[in-house]
Amino acid sequence: MKKIIHKAATRGFANHGWLKSHHTFSFASYQNLERMNFGMLRVLNDDVVQPKMGFGTHPHRNMEIISIPISGALSHKDSMDNKRSIEVGEVQVMSAGTGLTHSEFNDSKIAETNFLQLWILPEQQEVEPYYNQKFFKESDRKNTFQTLVSPKNKLVEGSLPVNQQAYISMIDLEAGIEKDYELKNGAYFFLIEGEVIIADETLEKRDALGIEHAEKVILKASKNSKLLIIDVPMI
């Protein structure tokens, strides 16, 4: 088993006033040659957007982009004529493929929006752009793995498709509960809330642990916890 630990305090940070962003991997002005990616996972940003602010229209190409709101909501518009609100409990997936543009705004007058943005390198280049979002019941991940995203050619029922052999799941673990996670590729465990012991490593809020060369690992919650698992090819 090979492990890499990324403590929350070691992430890159940018404060743009309207946006505060923690970067797990190199992004924009944060460049760290030892923190470029975990396999096909290229970006994991923990963003806080101020009220009535947001990301203006900008382009993407050949990237799988997944957004997961933690608090608040975002208004989404894109060049595929999608106009949607993304709220807590929902997951948004965009396959940028041959190219698209989009914008995301926090329409609230008083509340910040916190969301996770993931970029995964695609399996195929220049695919037709794709967009979808879905609400996932909180009760369906209580002490069990809820698959949010899976490969389009091996789609797990109820999940959203991406153009990569990647699986993203979430679990809400109650304190004292222990679960086995079976790895499909390499797995990157990002703790949203709580405290969890994974493969004998203790993770606290916003800590992460990457594991490869293992068939399964044991997860045990020391506190009530919310854990995101990003299972991606390593090469």
Side-chain angles (χ1 to χ4, degrees), residues 60-149:
H60 290 285
R61 186 168 183 162
N62 290 321
M63 192 66 70
E64 304 299 292
I65 302 167
I66 299 98
S67 297
I68 304 173
I70 304 300
S71 64
L74 285 170
S75 292
H76 168 90
K77 294 181 182 179
D78 63 41
S79 53
M80 296 177 283
D81 294 326
N82 294 297
K83 296 181 180 180
R84 307 280 289 275
S85 176
I86 316 159
E87 301 180 357
V88 175
E90 291 187 297
V91 175
Q92 178 200 74
V93 168
M94 289 190 294
S95 288
T98 55
L100 57 79
T101 60
H102 75 119
S103 63
E104 314 284 343
F105 278 88
N106 176 7
D107 287 331
S108 174
K109 295 179 179 179
I110 57 173
E112 295 177 336
T113 291
N114 180 203
F115 76 106
L116 303 177
Q117 184 175 120
L118 288 67
W119 292 8
I120 294 176
L121 298 167
E123 186 172 36
Q124 293 177 293
Q125 301 284 304
E126 302 297 303
V127 300
E128 182 179 353
Y130 162 85
Y131 175 93
N132 206 346
Q133 70 185 70
K134 182 180 177 179
F135 178 80
F136 292 86
K137 291 183 180 179
E138 185 177 5
S139 58
D140 289 345
R141 59 176 176 267
K142 183 177 180 181
N143 298 320
T144 192
F145 299 107
Q146 180 184 55
T147 305
L148 310 176
V149 168

Side-chain angles (χ1 to χ4, degrees), residues 10-45:
T10 68
R11 297 178 295 172
F13 179 68
N15 185 348
H16 301 286
W18 66 273
L19 170 70
K20 296 177 182 178
S21 183
H22 285 92
H23 310 309
T24 294
F25 304 106
S26 293
F27 186 86
S29 61
Y30 171 63
Q31 294 296 314
N32 182 339
L33 292 178
E34 295 181 355
R35 298 277 285 266
M36 295 303 298
N37 61 293
F38 178 80
M40 293 294 138
L41 175 61
R42 176 60 188 86
V43 167
L44 173 50
N45 287 347

